[in-house]
């Protein structure tokens, strides 16, 4: 049955809404689009603070988007990018959006943003089997990604956005003599860190998405005296056109005639030079002669990602991506990944065996799996308080994709509470979770504590876990494949760590070896 969903891209420059419904073959049909230019990133060169008037504009726009989504009977999912991601007062926007517009905003990392853009682009262009270099220039950041067959081989998010660079280099009227050269040097210096992935993987086709790149294309056609195209999807923008438009924008900025350019959106007049310089830097740095335009980007990717999350309740497609990213972070930081993978499997078995008692489902199970895999990544910093270091690394890593910001917080807290004290009201991060997420964290951490105890020797002696209620207690039965195992350490350690699960399930817990 077709599903109708609304997706919102809460960007640095604009807020975009798309309402679409699914069709056959994992495709979708767009029912309506809306765009509001609210300039969340205005007024600050470093984007550390969202201006009160910008928050007002964003909340008002979200309120209108909510009404449009409701008119289509569509659940709404909103994803925020650079400006909100970096702002120290982002909670003011998140709180007001929730309270005044009934919109819950997810804040995604730059790498996750690139993944979602990639999802959208692959629905607009037939490039699945070709290796692509994707460029998306936003108001606060530029995302670059090398992908093939739906997989990201390399991706990065740079603090190179049209609004950000305008605030830094072109905030004054007119044009300072050194502004363009300074901006170009800055762009090239930042882009240089992506040289190695491009050299290593290469690409067959370059793809550009975002309003900035579309605007440069329209200006190129206008300067050439060509008629505007009705659709820009799959249109080709050449390096020569980019360089011509950029030089024309520099001249117009110096003369104060930017607003007079044909085919220029007046709302972009003040930021288009900075955006064009980023695009010029990308095509020159990475040897791009032609760039294919995609009209689909982040919001369409959010739509597809949402469908993947809802399909069947088990999140198969999404969790493949998410689980791979968790394993990637584990392998980069964990000194004993075999132990962590084994503990994760035991934790999932115990979670499944107690499902009737704790009542959590597939979503919580997937977050437990990630938390179990990542519980020990903090050891790369220090053995002391490594559970807290694990929380920090998970929360701040750009390796985790396929998760929402809120899901990453839950995963981080499951890892945080795998040892030492249980969650307390005085722990600010814990107190900030809603009731459902708190339940997921405490159940996940309780199960994980016992699973860790069951591999206390790091020898993987315990090979299976079952659980059943008997005489008003929960008996956790463990099995082994070893011929004559000494499980005394595992039994002791798991028993010592069973208190949180007993509290969560309101049932005494006893760990025992299952009879052969």
């Amino acid at each position: 049955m077709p599903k109708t969903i609304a997706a919102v891209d809460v960007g640095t420059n604009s807020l975009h809404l798309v309402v679409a419904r699914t069709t056959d073959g994992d495709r979708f049909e767009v029912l309506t689009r809306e765009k509001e230019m609210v300039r969340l990133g205005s007024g600050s060169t470093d984007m550390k603070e969202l201006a009160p008037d910008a928050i007002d504009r964003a909340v008002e726009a979200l309120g209108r988007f909510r009404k449009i989504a409701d008119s289509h009977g569509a659940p709404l999912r909103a994803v925020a990018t650079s400006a909100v991601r970096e702002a120290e007062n982002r909670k003011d926007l998140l709180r007001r959006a929730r309270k005044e517009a009934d919109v819950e905003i997810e804040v995604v990392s730059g790498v996750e943003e690139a993944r979602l853009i990639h999802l959208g682009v692959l629905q607009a262009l037939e490039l699945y089997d070709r290796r692509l270099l994707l460029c998306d220039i936003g108001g606060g950041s530029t995302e670059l990604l090398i992908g093939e067959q739906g997989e990201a081989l390399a991706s990065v998010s740079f603090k190179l956005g049209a609004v950000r660079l305008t605030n830094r280099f072109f905030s004054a009227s007119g044009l300072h003599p050194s502004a363009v050269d300074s901006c170009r040097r800055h762009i090239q210096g930042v882009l240089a860190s992506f040289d190695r992935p491009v050299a290593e993987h290469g690409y067959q086709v370059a793809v550009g998405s975002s309003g900035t790149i579309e605007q440069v294309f329209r200006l190129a056609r206008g300067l050439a005296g060509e008629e505007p195209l009705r659709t820009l999807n799959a249109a080709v923008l050449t390096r020569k056109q980019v360089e011509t438009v950029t030089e024309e924008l520099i001249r117009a900025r110096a003369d104060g005639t930017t607003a007079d350019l044909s085919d220029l959106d007046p709302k972009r007049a003040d930021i288009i030079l900075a955006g064009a310089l980023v695009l010029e830097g990308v095509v020159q740095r990475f040897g791009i002669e032609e760039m294919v335009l995609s009209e689909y980007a982040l919001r369409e990717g959010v739509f597809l990602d949402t469908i993947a999350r809802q399909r069947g309740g088990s999140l198969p497609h999404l969790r493949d991506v998410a689980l791979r990213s968790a394993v990637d972070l584990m392998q980069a930081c964990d000194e004993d990944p075999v132990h962590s993978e084994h503990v994760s499997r035991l934790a999932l078995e115990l979670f499944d065996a107690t499902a009737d008692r704790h009542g959590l489902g597939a979503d919580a199970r997937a977050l437990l799996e990630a938390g179990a895999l990542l519980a020990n990544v903090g050891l790369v910093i220090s053995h002391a308080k490594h559970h807290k270091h694990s929380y920090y690394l998970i929360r701040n890593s750009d390796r985790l994709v396929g998760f929402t910001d809120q899901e990453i917080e839950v995963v981080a807290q499951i890892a945080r509470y795998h040892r030492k004290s249980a969650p307390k009201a005085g722990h600010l991060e814990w107190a900030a979770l809603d009731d459902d997420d708190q339940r997921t964290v405490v159940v996940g951490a309780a199960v994980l504590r016992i699973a860790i105890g069951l591999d206390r020797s790091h020898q993987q002696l315990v090979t299976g876990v079952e659980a059943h209620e008997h005489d008003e207690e929960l008996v956790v039965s463990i099995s082994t494949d070893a011929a004559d195992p000494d499980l005394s350490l595992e039994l002791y350690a798991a028993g010592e760590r069973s208190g949180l699960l007993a509290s969560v399930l309101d049932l005494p817990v006893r760990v025992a070896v299952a009879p052969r």
Side-chain angles (χ1 to χ4, degrees):
M1 181 178 180
K3 294 181 179 179
T4 302
I5 293 174
V8 177
D9 168 9
V10 182
T12 301
N13 190 45
S14 305
L15 271 65
H16 296 261
L17 165 74
V18 60
V19 181
R21 63 185 173 206
T22 58
T23 59
D24 293 336
D26 291 332
R27 308 290 294 184
F28 59 88
E29 174 189 7
V30 174
L31 302 178
T32 187
R33 298 180 185 273
E34 295 289 336
K35 181 176 78 170
E36 296 273 355
M37 193 168 286
V38 301
R39 291 290 175 87
L40 275 172
S42 63
S44 172
T45 58
D46 58 7
M47 295 193 177
K48 294 298 184 184
E49 196 82 10
L50 299 174
D53 58 336
I55 293 177
D56 290 341
R57 292 192 297 270
V59 172
E60 290 174 5
L62 289 170
R64 289 190 287 273
F65 288 176
R66 164 57 72 188
K67 291 178 181 178
I68 293 171
D70 288 347
S71 72
H72 289 274
L76 184 148
R77 183 180 174 199
V79 168
T81 57
S82 180
V84 181
R85 184 165 62 235
E86 297 178 37
E88 294 174 354
N89 64 334
R90 60 183 174 274
K91 289 187 177 179
D92 294 342
L93 171 62
L94 304 186
R95 175 181 52 79
R96 287 190 55 192
R98 184 185 307 112
K99 182 178 179 181
E100 300 175 31
D102 191 27
V103 174
E104 194 76 32
I105 299 176
E106 301 169 16
V107 184
V108 297
S109 69
V111 174
E112 174 68 354
E113 181 181 351
R115 184 186 75 87
L116 292 171
I117 294 168
H118 187 206
L119 272 180
V121 165
L122 290 179
Q123 288 293 309
L125 302 170
E126 295 293 338
L127 296 174
Y128 184 81
D129 292 322
R130 301 185 69 190
R131 184 164 297 182
L132 61 85
L133 171 60
L134 170 63
C135 173
D136 185 281
I137 302 171
S141 64
T142 290
E143 279 64 49
L144 296 176
L145 178 144
I146 299 173
E148 186 174 11
Q149 295 186 341
E151 297 294 326
L153 305 178
S155 63
V156 68
S157 178
F158 289 128
K159 292 182 179 181
L160 297 174
V163 175
R164 186 193 298 273
L165 296 185
T166 296
N167 291 341
R168 178 170 177 176
F169 294 100
F170 307 110
S171 58
S173 59
L175 187 65
H176 190 278
S178 65
V180 171
D181 286 343
S182 296
C183 186
R184 278 173 166 157
R185 286 195 299 270
H186 174 70
I187 291 167
Q188 288 299 324
V190 174
L191 291 176
S193 65
F194 205 59
D195 287 352
R196 179 176 293 180
V198 173
E200 177 184 351
H201 299 291
Y203 63 90
Q204 296 170 290
V205 59
V207 178
S209 62
S210 73
T212 292
I213 298 176
E214 291 179 357
Q215 180 63 85
V216 169
F217 179 82
R218 290 190 179 96
L219 285 170
R221 290 186 66 84
L223 291 172
E226 298 172 340
E227 291 294 320
L229 298 180
R230 296 184 64 180
T231 178
L232 302 188
N233 201 59
V236 175
L237 177 65
T238 68
R239 174 173 170 171
K240 183 177 179 180
Q241 286 176 313
V242 172
E243 293 171 343
T244 298
V245 168
T246 302
E247 292 304 321
E248 181 63 23
L249 287 171
I250 293 170
R251 183 201 60 76
R253 178 70 182 234
D255 295 343
T257 59
T258 302
D260 298 333
L261 290 173
S262 176
D263 299 299
L264 176 62
D265 182 350
K267 294 180 180 179
R268 289 188 180 273
D270 58 333
I271 64 170
I272 186 58
L273 173 57
L277 286 169
V278 175
L279 181 58
E280 175 197 64
V282 169
V283 299
Q284 292 179 347
R285 183 89 200 176
F286 304 118
I288 298 171
E289 296 299 330
E290 292 185 343
M291 179 174 283
V292 180
L293 272 58
S294 167
E295 288 190 328
Y296 285 3
L298 178 63
R299 54 197 175 276
E300 290 80 14
V302 171
F303 177 89
L304 291 164
D305 188 66
T306 304
I307 292 297
R309 288 170 174 273
Q310 293 182 349
R311 185 171 296 137
S314 60
L315 321 183
H317 173 71
L318 171 70
R319 291 313 174 196
D320 285 347
V321 174
L323 181 59
R324 283 197 298 272
S325 72
V327 170
D328 176 56
L329 179 58
M330 175 194 69
Q331 291 175 339
C333 301
D334 193 338
E335 61 185 25
D336 190 356
V338 173
H339 164 71
S340 295
E341 290 177 334
H342 186 71
V343 163
S344 174
R345 185 176 63 79
L346 297 178
L348 294 179
E349 289 184 8
L350 183 54
F351 179 92
D352 294 341
T354 55
D356 289 343
R357 190 79 182 187
H358 59 65
L360 297 179
D363 291 11
R365 188 182 191 275
L367 300 180
L368 165 61
E369 183 174 15
L373 289 169
L374 299 174
N376 285 333
V377 294
L379 290 169
V380 75
I381 298 177
S382 171
H383 280 262
K385 299 182 179 179
H386 74 266
H387 55 298
K388 294 183 179 180
H389 298 316
S390 293
Y391 172 87
Y392 177 84
L393 284 175
I394 295 167
R395 201 64 192 88
N396 293 281
S397 173
D398 62 1
R399 290 176 179 262
L400 294 177
V401 297
F403 297 98
T404 68
D405 183 74
Q406 191 68 11
E407 287 173 335
I408 292 174
E409 178 66 33
V410 171
V411 169
Q413 292 202 32
I414 290 173
R416 156 73 173 82
Y417 292 112
H418 83 268
R419 65 191 293 267
K420 299 294 185 179
S421 67
K424 298 176 182 177
H427 297 170
L428 297 181
E429 292 84 1
W430 162 259
L433 297 178
D434 63 28
D435 291 344
D436 289 342
D437 285 341
Q438 285 189 346
R439 177 71 175 172
T440 298
V441 168
V442 73
V443 170
V447 166
L448 180 55
R449 288 178 178 219
I450 293 178
I452 289 172
L454 293 177
D455 196 37
R456 185 66 181 85
S457 66
H458 287 233
Q459 295 181 25
Q460 293 79 58
L461 296 176
V462 175
T463 55
V465 180
E466 295 181 353
H468 62 277
E469 294 181 30
H470 180 70
D471 289 341
E472 297 184 348
E473 68 176 358
L474 180 73
V475 179
V476 177
S477 299
I478 61 175
S479 56
T480 179
D481 293 337
D484 189 19
D486 178 5
L487 299 176
S488 58
L489 182 58
E490 279 70 21
L491 288 170
Y492 174 79
E496 285 291 294
R497 290 163 170 77
S498 65
L500 185 57
L501 186 62
S503 175
V504 168
L505 301 183
D506 193 25
L507 195 67
V509 175
R510 177 168 59 89
V511 183
V513 178
R516 286 183 174 272

